[in-house]
Amino acid sequence: MTGFAQRVVEVVVAIPAGEVLTYGEVAAEAGHPGAARAVGSVLHHHGGLPWWRVVAASGRLVPGREQEHARRLIAEGVPCDGGRASLRGPRR
């Protein structure tokens, strides 16, 4: 695992239940602002992470997995509607 991937994993694992970060926020916290797409790649290739706590800047859920994504977030208390998660609430 690259240093970047390891830092992404550390950031994502630290997101508390009921909170979401955007891919861009995760990239910035991992020390690579602007690497939002690379965060998505790390999440795709490393299982066992709470991937559902990461959303697009608009709140958009993972295409093709919107129902599962929404179900997991709603179970943690994050409102979702129309394929988007609420970005309100606790933020870093």
Side-chain angles (χ1 to χ4, degrees):
M1 186 179 314
T2 67
F4 171 71
Q6 181 60 42
R7 288 188 298 278
V8 167
V9 167
E10 291 168 1
V11 171
V12 172
V13 167
I15 303 170
E19 292 186 23
V20 295
L21 290 180
T22 67
Y23 292 99
E25 289 170 334
V26 171
E29 285 196 27
H32 290 272
R37 287 184 183 210
V39 169
S41 180
V42 171
L43 292 178
H44 179 75
H45 290 99
H46 294 86
L49 299 175
W51 59 268
W52 58 91
R53 295 180 185 150
V54 184
V55 299
S58 65
R60 183 173 158 217
L61 305 178
V62 174
R65 297 183 78 181
E66 293 95 345
Q67 289 182 349
E68 179 185 3
H69 203 165
R71 180 183 56 77
R72 288 176 180 257
L73 287 174
I74 290 167
E76 292 185 354
V78 177
C80 296
D81 185 40
R84 298 188 187 288
S86 172
L87 295 177
R88 295 184 187 146
R91 309 283 297 159
R92 291 185 184 188

